Amino acid sequence: MSNMSEKLYVAVTAMGLLVGSAVATKAEDLTIASYGGATEDAYRKEWYEPFTKATGINILTDAFTGDVGKVRAMSTTGTYNWQLADSESVIAEIGCQQDFLERFDLGRLKLTKNDFVPGSLHDCGIPDVIYSVNFAYDTNQVAEPGPKSWADFWNMEKWPGKRAMRKSPNGNLEFALLADGVPMDKVYEVLSTPQGVDRAFASLSKLKPNIVWWETGAQSVQLLADKEVAMTIGWNGRLYSAAHSEGQKQIKTVWNQFRWETSMWIMPKGAPNADAAYEFLKFSSQPEVNAAITKHLTYSPAIAAAEKYVRPELKSELPTSAENIKNGFPMDVQFWADHQDDLTQRFNYWVAQQ
């Protein structure tokens, strides 16, 4: 997931290499896996280290690449590399369906469903942050007033220039339907039909000659910085960091028709030292602690009461802020859990066609 674009981070850090051979060296240790990068750095500063200081429970880190098979194997073989992982919500849904993830007991966290941002909680996932997929453009290449919708993103005549998109059907199919005139609240209703899928691919095909594909969040903003594209799709935190921390002030994020998603903690079924995992979840779900992550990342806290601890100047950059949330829509986790494989197969075939 960018700060969250690190959702595709696959290189194991030096620390990860050390940890890999030392997972759970003590019974009381807690090992947490993530996609790494700036997100893990922020978690370490605001959650891991303060938790260890408060409880004495040492946190070790490991790499997580979103490999569902490896998570499933942990629960079936009883060999665990970690107790918790920072994961995409689709993996939580698949793990619940296939029964290889723990179903969390909110009572042990002293929390209720109402403590979380509406729509973020999952039986097999405790939300940590909420991020979004937006598009952004280069103000040096695109004249103002710039594009405001996916129909504008698709409009090559008014705004010429290549478009950068993630090499995945997840998200792109929804945006293709929005560009074709489908309202936000009807996107998944349309996409759930064969005709709707055909319509989405037909819309994508109109833009295909002008698409440059990316596979990591870093690539999404680098393509824009290098002027290889005039617009890009990306994770909101990654786009914000490029514009505000990396000197790319020409990058402007559009907060309209964006899709928001939940990043959440998952636990393999039967994982040892679950008590320590629950202690960490209880700690990081405290409103002020949960909000502390916004010191480093422009992702929304998942705990509803945490918003009051967010710096006012950042709220306009958060997916769940009052001014933004009404202009976005949530990812349908169930839809992608059910259709990720078949739509990815069709998408890859479509990409390969000239």
Side-chain angles (χ1 to χ4, degrees):
M1 64 105 188
S2 107
N3 302 319
M4 249 338 227
S5 73
E6 279 58 65
K7 287 274 176 204
L8 295 174
Y9 177 88
V10 296
V12 179
T13 62
M15 176 172 283
L17 289 171
L18 291 173
V19 168
S21 60
V23 171
T25 56
K26 298 179 182 178
E28 65 272 21
D29 285 345
L30 175 64
T31 302
I32 300 178
S34 78
Y35 294 90
T39 298
E40 184 179 293
D41 291 342
Y43 287 7
R44 182 181 295 109
K45 291 174 185 174
E46 301 300 337
W47 293 347
Y48 300 172
E49 292 174 358
F51 172 74
T52 296
K53 185 177 181 180
T55 65
I57 299 174
N58 189 38
I59 290 184
L60 306 174
T61 58
D62 201 1
F64 181 60
T65 63
D67 189 330
V68 172
K70 288 185 178 180
V71 185
R72 185 188 298 110
M74 279 193 268
S75 66
T76 55
T77 65
T79 302
Y80 298 90
N81 296 323
W82 39 262
Q83 284 82 35
L84 291 173
D86 183 32
S87 170
E88 297 171 82
S89 52
V90 169
I91 296 175
E93 177 62 28
I94 294 171
C96 257
Q97 288 182 5
Q98 299 182 12
D99 199 32
F100 61 78
L101 290 179
E102 290 285 352
R103 294 175 181 269
F104 288 102
D105 180 357
L106 291 182
R108 292 182 66 176
L109 299 177
K110 301 188 184 306
L111 295 170
T112 70
K113 180 179 180 180
N114 293 333
D115 289 310
F116 297 90
V117 171
S120 65
L121 184 64
H122 194 280
D123 286 349
C124 293
I126 298 297
D128 53 354
V129 295
I130 295 169
Y131 62 101
S132 63
V133 183
N134 305 55
F135 78 84
Y137 59 93
D138 179 355
T139 57
N140 290 336
Q141 299 183 67
V142 178
E144 297 286 14
K148 304 298 182 187
S149 67
W150 290 106
D152 292 345
F153 187 90
W154 253 249
N155 192 333
M156 296 300 302
E157 183 176 349
K158 186 172 182 179
W159 289 288
K162 296 288 187 179
R163 278 33 171 180
M165 303 176 77
R166 185 183 181 188
K167 198 174 183 180
S168 168
N170 194 324
N172 287 332
L173 296 184
E174 291 97 318
F175 303 145
L177 288 177
L178 290 168
D180 201 45
V182 176
M184 284 194 301
D185 62 350
K186 299 293 183 182
V187 163
Y188 288 107
E189 179 181 326
V190 174
L191 198 55
S192 295
T193 67
Q195 296 84 357
V197 173
D198 290 344
R199 182 177 175 181
F201 274 100
S203 179
L204 273 177
S205 293
K206 296 176 184 176
L207 195 62
K208 188 177 183 182
N210 299 289
I211 297 174
V212 177
W213 301 110
W214 58 263
E215 297 188 47
T216 70
Q219 290 174 340
S220 70
V221 293
Q222 193 61 49
L223 287 166
L224 206 56
D226 292 343
K227 300 191 183 304
E228 293 187 40
V229 300
M231 305 184 198
T232 187
I233 292 175
W235 290 291
N236 76 290
R238 191 71 193 82
L239 297 170
Y240 179 88
S241 291
H244 294 81
S245 303
E246 299 167 19
Q248 303 296 328
K249 294 182 179 180
Q250 76 280 8
I251 295 177
K252 185 171 183 178
T253 299
V254 175
W255 285 100
N256 184 39
Q257 298 182 320
F258 65 91
R259 191 185 76 172
W260 61 268
E261 312 169 23
T262 304
S263 177
M264 51 185 55
W265 302 110
I266 60 171
M267 186 190 303
K269 193 169 186 178
N273 206 10
D275 288 344
Y278 269 95
E279 286 302 310
F280 171 75
L281 294 174
K282 188 188 303 182
F283 177 85
S284 62
S285 295
Q286 297 175 77
E288 191 167 3
V289 176
N290 192 238
I293 211 70
T294 61
K295 297 175 185 177
H296 311 276
L297 309 169
T298 53
Y299 295 119
S300 297
I303 300 299
E307 185 177 353
K308 64 183 178 182
Y309 297 105
V310 177
R311 300 199 313 270
E313 65 270 21
L314 285 181
K315 291 187 178 181
S316 64
E317 300 293 335
L318 301 181
T320 60
S321 70
E323 60 190 285
N324 286 335
I325 192 68
K326 64 180 182 293
N327 298 317
F329 65 101
M331 180 180 74
D332 188 323
V333 177
Q334 184 67 58
F335 174 84
W336 282 109
D338 291 343
H339 300 288
Q340 182 85 33
D341 289 345
D342 59 302
L343 288 178
T344 297
Q345 184 177 8
R346 177 169 175 176
F347 177 83
N348 289 339
Y349 177 80
W350 173 83
V351 169
Q353 301 306 299
Q354 297 301 318

PDB file of all heavy atoms in Angstrom, residues 68 72 94 98 169 335-348:
ATOM      1  N   VAL A  68      -1.097 -15.912  -0.562  1.00  0.00           N
ATOM      2  CA  VAL A  68      -2.152 -16.612   0.167  1.00  0.00           C
ATOM      3  C   VAL A  68      -1.753 -18.056   0.461  1.00  0.00           C
ATOM      4  O   VAL A  68      -2.030 -18.589   1.546  1.00  0.00           O
ATOM      5  CB  VAL A  68      -3.471 -16.576  -0.639  1.00  0.00           C
ATOM      6  CG1 VAL A  68      -4.529 -17.456   0.009  1.00  0.00           C
ATOM      7  CG2 VAL A  68      -3.979 -15.145  -0.753  1.00  0.00           C
ATOM      8  N   ARG A  72      -1.876 -20.044   4.069  1.00  0.00           N
ATOM      9  CA  ARG A  72      -2.659 -21.270   4.200  1.00  0.00           C
ATOM     10  C   ARG A  72      -1.784 -22.424   4.700  1.00  0.00           C
ATOM     11  O   ARG A  72      -2.193 -23.206   5.568  1.00  0.00           O
ATOM     12  CB  ARG A  72      -3.300 -21.640   2.864  1.00  0.00           C
ATOM     13  CG  ARG A  72      -4.238 -22.847   2.942  1.00  0.00           C
ATOM     14  CD  ARG A  72      -4.690 -23.295   1.562  1.00  0.00           C
ATOM     15  NE  ARG A  72      -5.457 -22.268   0.866  1.00  0.00           N
ATOM     16  CZ  ARG A  72      -5.007 -21.602  -0.204  1.00  0.00           C
ATOM     17  NH1 ARG A  72      -3.785 -21.834  -0.678  1.00  0.00           N
ATOM     18  NH2 ARG A  72      -5.766 -20.702  -0.788  1.00  0.00           N
ATOM     19  N   ILE A  94     -10.700 -14.238   1.837  1.00  0.00           N
ATOM     20  CA  ILE A  94     -10.352 -15.573   1.339  1.00  0.00           C
ATOM     21  C   ILE A  94     -10.001 -16.491   2.507  1.00  0.00           C
ATOM     22  O   ILE A  94     -10.417 -17.659   2.553  1.00  0.00           O
ATOM     23  CB  ILE A  94      -9.183 -15.496   0.335  1.00  0.00           C
ATOM     24  CG1 ILE A  94      -9.623 -14.750  -0.929  1.00  0.00           C
ATOM     25  CG2 ILE A  94      -8.669 -16.891  -0.018  1.00  0.00           C
ATOM     26  CD1 ILE A  94      -8.492 -14.441  -1.884  1.00  0.00           C
ATOM     27  N   GLN A  98     -11.931 -19.956   3.424  1.00  0.00           N
ATOM     28  CA  GLN A  98     -11.212 -21.231   3.370  1.00  0.00           C
ATOM     29  C   GLN A  98     -10.747 -21.714   4.746  1.00  0.00           C
ATOM     30  O   GLN A  98     -10.095 -22.758   4.847  1.00  0.00           O
ATOM     31  CB  GLN A  98     -10.032 -21.105   2.410  1.00  0.00           C
ATOM     32  CG  GLN A  98     -10.463 -20.767   0.987  1.00  0.00           C
ATOM     33  CD  GLN A  98      -9.303 -20.686   0.008  1.00  0.00           C
ATOM     34  OE1 GLN A  98      -8.175 -21.089   0.298  1.00  0.00           O
ATOM     35  NE2 GLN A  98      -9.574 -20.165  -1.185  1.00  0.00           N
ATOM     36  N   PRO A 169      -6.423  -6.225 -12.820  1.00  0.00           N
ATOM     37  CA  PRO A 169      -7.815  -5.865 -13.085  1.00  0.00           C
ATOM     38  C   PRO A 169      -8.473  -5.187 -11.887  1.00  0.00           C
ATOM     39  O   PRO A 169      -9.435  -4.443 -12.044  1.00  0.00           O
ATOM     40  CB  PRO A 169      -8.480  -7.219 -13.368  1.00  0.00           C
ATOM     41  CG  PRO A 169      -7.680  -8.188 -12.546  1.00  0.00           C
ATOM     42  CD  PRO A 169      -6.262  -7.685 -12.632  1.00  0.00           C
ATOM     43  N   PHE A 335     -16.655  -9.341  -3.763  1.00  0.00           N
ATOM     44  CA  PHE A 335     -16.570  -9.480  -5.221  1.00  0.00           C
ATOM     45  C   PHE A 335     -15.188  -9.924  -5.645  1.00  0.00           C
ATOM     46  O   PHE A 335     -15.043 -10.863  -6.445  1.00  0.00           O
ATOM     47  CB  PHE A 335     -16.928  -8.156  -5.902  1.00  0.00           C
ATOM     48  CG  PHE A 335     -16.720  -8.196  -7.398  1.00  0.00           C
ATOM     49  CD1 PHE A 335     -17.703  -8.700  -8.230  1.00  0.00           C
ATOM     50  CD2 PHE A 335     -15.522  -7.775  -7.973  1.00  0.00           C
ATOM     51  CE1 PHE A 335     -17.505  -8.782  -9.614  1.00  0.00           C
ATOM     52  CE2 PHE A 335     -15.309  -7.842  -9.342  1.00  0.00           C
ATOM     53  CZ  PHE A 335     -16.301  -8.344 -10.166  1.00  0.00           C
ATOM     54  N   TRP A 336     -14.155  -9.277  -5.115  1.00  0.00           N
ATOM     55  CA  TRP A 336     -12.799  -9.613  -5.545  1.00  0.00           C
ATOM     56  C   TRP A 336     -12.320 -10.937  -4.981  1.00  0.00           C
ATOM     57  O   TRP A 336     -11.544 -11.654  -5.623  1.00  0.00           O
ATOM     58  CB  TRP A 336     -11.838  -8.472  -5.236  1.00  0.00           C
ATOM     59  CG  TRP A 336     -11.989  -7.374  -6.238  1.00  0.00           C
ATOM     60  CD1 TRP A 336     -12.529  -6.143  -6.071  1.00  0.00           C
ATOM     61  CD2 TRP A 336     -11.631  -7.460  -7.633  1.00  0.00           C
ATOM     62  NE1 TRP A 336     -12.540  -5.439  -7.247  1.00  0.00           N
ATOM     63  CE2 TRP A 336     -11.990  -6.227  -8.230  1.00  0.00           C
ATOM     64  CE3 TRP A 336     -11.041  -8.444  -8.429  1.00  0.00           C
ATOM     65  CZ2 TRP A 336     -11.772  -5.954  -9.581  1.00  0.00           C
ATOM     66  CZ3 TRP A 336     -10.832  -8.175  -9.776  1.00  0.00           C
ATOM     67  CH2 TRP A 336     -11.186  -6.954 -10.342  1.00  0.00           C
ATOM     68  N   ALA A 337     -12.790 -11.308  -3.807  1.00  0.00           N
ATOM     69  CA  ALA A 337     -12.450 -12.630  -3.281  1.00  0.00           C
ATOM     70  C   ALA A 337     -13.020 -13.729  -4.176  1.00  0.00           C
ATOM     71  O   ALA A 337     -12.410 -14.769  -4.387  1.00  0.00           O
ATOM     72  CB  ALA A 337     -12.978 -12.783  -1.861  1.00  0.00           C
ATOM     73  N   ASP A 338     -14.199 -13.463  -4.728  1.00  0.00           N
ATOM     74  CA  ASP A 338     -14.864 -14.448  -5.585  1.00  0.00           C
ATOM     75  C   ASP A 338     -14.320 -14.464  -7.006  1.00  0.00           C
ATOM     76  O   ASP A 338     -14.347 -15.501  -7.679  1.00  0.00           O
ATOM     77  CB  ASP A 338     -16.373 -14.166  -5.645  1.00  0.00           C
ATOM     78  CG  ASP A 338     -17.082 -14.437  -4.327  1.00  0.00           C
ATOM     79  OD1 ASP A 338     -16.492 -15.129  -3.473  1.00  0.00           O
ATOM     80  OD2 ASP A 338     -18.205 -13.937  -4.148  1.00  0.00           O
ATOM     81  N   HIS A 339     -13.822 -13.320  -7.499  1.00  0.00           N
ATOM     82  CA  HIS A 339     -13.518 -13.201  -8.929  1.00  0.00           C
ATOM     83  C   HIS A 339     -12.078 -12.827  -9.269  1.00  0.00           C
ATOM     84  O   HIS A 339     -11.751 -12.662 -10.444  1.00  0.00           O
ATOM     85  CB  HIS A 339     -14.459 -12.171  -9.573  1.00  0.00           C
ATOM     86  CG  HIS A 339     -15.903 -12.524  -9.464  1.00  0.00           C
ATOM     87  ND1 HIS A 339     -16.482 -13.557 -10.195  1.00  0.00           N
ATOM     88  CD2 HIS A 339     -16.895 -12.003  -8.698  1.00  0.00           C
ATOM     89  CE1 HIS A 339     -17.764 -13.635  -9.896  1.00  0.00           C
ATOM     90  NE2 HIS A 339     -18.041 -12.708  -8.993  1.00  0.00           N
ATOM     91  N   GLN A 340     -11.232 -12.684  -8.248  1.00  0.00           N
ATOM     92  CA  GLN A 340      -9.857 -12.255  -8.505  1.00  0.00           C
ATOM     93  C   GLN A 340      -9.153 -13.167  -9.517  1.00  0.00           C
ATOM     94  O   GLN A 340      -8.518 -12.700 -10.468  1.00  0.00           O
ATOM     95  CB  GLN A 340      -9.057 -12.224  -7.204  1.00  0.00           C
ATOM     96  CG  GLN A 340      -7.620 -11.748  -7.353  1.00  0.00           C
ATOM     97  CD  GLN A 340      -7.489 -10.238  -7.306  1.00  0.00           C
ATOM     98  OE1 GLN A 340      -8.242  -9.571  -6.616  1.00  0.00           O
ATOM     99  NE2 GLN A 340      -6.536  -9.697  -8.034  1.00  0.00           N
ATOM    100  N   ASP A 341      -9.263 -14.463  -9.333  1.00  0.00           N
ATOM    101  CA  ASP A 341      -8.518 -15.399 -10.187  1.00  0.00           C
ATOM    102  C   ASP A 341      -8.991 -15.362 -11.640  1.00  0.00           C
ATOM    103  O   ASP A 341      -8.176 -15.235 -12.562  1.00  0.00           O
ATOM    104  CB  ASP A 341      -8.636 -16.829  -9.638  1.00  0.00           C
ATOM    105  CG  ASP A 341      -7.849 -17.019  -8.350  1.00  0.00           C
ATOM    106  OD1 ASP A 341      -6.998 -16.151  -8.044  1.00  0.00           O
ATOM    107  OD2 ASP A 341      -8.093 -18.013  -7.648  1.00  0.00           O
ATOM    108  N   ASP A 342     -10.302 -15.476 -11.849  1.00  0.00           N
ATOM    109  CA  ASP A 342     -10.783 -15.531 -13.228  1.00  0.00           C
ATOM    110  C   ASP A 342     -10.631 -14.197 -13.951  1.00  0.00           C
ATOM    111  O   ASP A 342     -10.280 -14.162 -15.139  1.00  0.00           O
ATOM    112  CB  ASP A 342     -12.250 -16.014 -13.279  1.00  0.00           C
ATOM    113  CG  ASP A 342     -13.198 -15.131 -12.487  1.00  0.00           C
ATOM    114  OD1 ASP A 342     -12.990 -14.967 -11.274  1.00  0.00           O
ATOM    115  OD2 ASP A 342     -14.167 -14.606 -13.073  1.00  0.00           O
ATOM    116  N   LEU A 343     -10.813 -13.084 -13.236  1.00  0.00           N
ATOM    117  CA  LEU A 343     -10.659 -11.792 -13.890  1.00  0.00           C
ATOM    118  C   LEU A 343      -9.180 -11.467 -14.149  1.00  0.00           C
ATOM    119  O   LEU A 343      -8.854 -10.816 -15.153  1.00  0.00           O
ATOM    120  CB  LEU A 343     -11.306 -10.684 -13.054  1.00  0.00           C
ATOM    121  CG  LEU A 343     -12.833 -10.702 -13.040  1.00  0.00           C
ATOM    122  CD1 LEU A 343     -13.381  -9.597 -12.154  1.00  0.00           C
ATOM    123  CD2 LEU A 343     -13.404 -10.566 -14.463  1.00  0.00           C
ATOM    124  N   THR A 344      -8.308 -11.938 -13.280  1.00  0.00           N
ATOM    125  CA  THR A 344      -6.871 -11.747 -13.522  1.00  0.00           C
ATOM    126  C   THR A 344      -6.432 -12.528 -14.756  1.00  0.00           C
ATOM    127  O   THR A 344      -5.646 -12.030 -15.573  1.00  0.00           O
ATOM    128  CB  THR A 344      -6.049 -12.179 -12.298  1.00  0.00           C
ATOM    129  OG1 THR A 344      -6.395 -11.338 -11.186  1.00  0.00           O
ATOM    130  CG2 THR A 344      -4.553 -12.051 -12.567  1.00  0.00           C
ATOM    131  N   GLN A 345      -6.951 -13.737 -14.898  1.00  0.00           N
ATOM    132  CA  GLN A 345      -6.615 -14.543 -16.073  1.00  0.00           C
ATOM    133  C   GLN A 345      -7.092 -13.839 -17.360  1.00  0.00           C
ATOM    134  O   GLN A 345      -6.334 -13.748 -18.338  1.00  0.00           O
ATOM    135  CB  GLN A 345      -7.259 -15.921 -15.956  1.00  0.00           C
ATOM    136  CG  GLN A 345      -6.894 -16.867 -17.091  1.00  0.00           C
ATOM    137  CD  GLN A 345      -7.495 -18.254 -16.893  1.00  0.00           C
ATOM    138  OE1 GLN A 345      -8.308 -18.484 -16.000  1.00  0.00           O
ATOM    139  NE2 GLN A 345      -7.092 -19.199 -17.723  1.00  0.00           N
ATOM    140  N   ARG A 346      -8.304 -13.344 -17.340  1.00  0.00           N
ATOM    141  CA  ARG A 346      -8.814 -12.646 -18.520  1.00  0.00           C
ATOM    142  C   ARG A 346      -8.035 -11.351 -18.767  1.00  0.00           C
ATOM    143  O   ARG A 346      -7.716 -11.016 -19.920  1.00  0.00           O
ATOM    144  CB  ARG A 346     -10.296 -12.341 -18.346  1.00  0.00           C
ATOM    145  CG  ARG A 346     -10.882 -11.546 -19.527  1.00  0.00           C
ATOM    146  CD  ARG A 346     -12.387 -11.467 -19.473  1.00  0.00           C
ATOM    147  NE  ARG A 346     -12.890 -10.610 -20.555  1.00  0.00           N
ATOM    148  CZ  ARG A 346     -14.185 -10.405 -20.808  1.00  0.00           C
ATOM    149  NH1 ARG A 346     -15.109 -11.012 -20.075  1.00  0.00           N
ATOM    150  NH2 ARG A 346     -14.543  -9.607 -21.806  1.00  0.00           N
ATOM    151  N   PHE A 347      -7.723 -10.639 -17.691  1.00  0.00           N
ATOM    152  CA  PHE A 347      -6.985  -9.380 -17.823  1.00  0.00           C
ATOM    153  C   PHE A 347      -5.602  -9.616 -18.428  1.00  0.00           C
ATOM    154  O   PHE A 347      -5.184  -8.889 -19.348  1.00  0.00           O
ATOM    155  CB  PHE A 347      -6.851  -8.721 -16.451  1.00  0.00           C
ATOM    156  CG  PHE A 347      -6.053  -7.452 -16.438  1.00  0.00           C
ATOM    157  CD1 PHE A 347      -6.638  -6.241 -16.787  1.00  0.00           C
ATOM    158  CD2 PHE A 347      -4.714  -7.457 -16.054  1.00  0.00           C
ATOM    159  CE1 PHE A 347      -5.904  -5.063 -16.777  1.00  0.00           C
ATOM    160  CE2 PHE A 347      -3.974  -6.291 -16.043  1.00  0.00           C
ATOM    161  CZ  PHE A 347      -4.574  -5.093 -16.400  1.00  0.00           C
ATOM    162  N   ASN A 348      -4.893 -10.618 -17.952  1.00  0.00           N
ATOM    163  CA  ASN A 348      -3.551 -10.904 -18.471  1.00  0.00           C
ATOM    164  C   ASN A 348      -3.605 -11.280 -19.941  1.00  0.00           C
ATOM    165  O   ASN A 348      -2.716 -10.895 -20.721  1.00  0.00           O
ATOM    166  CB  ASN A 348      -2.887 -12.013 -17.649  1.00  0.00           C
ATOM    167  CG  ASN A 348      -2.506 -11.541 -16.251  1.00  0.00           C
ATOM    168  OD1 ASN A 348      -2.368 -10.355 -15.993  1.00  0.00           O
ATOM    169  ND2 ASN A 348      -2.345 -12.493 -15.342  1.00  0.00           N
TER     170      ASN A 348
END
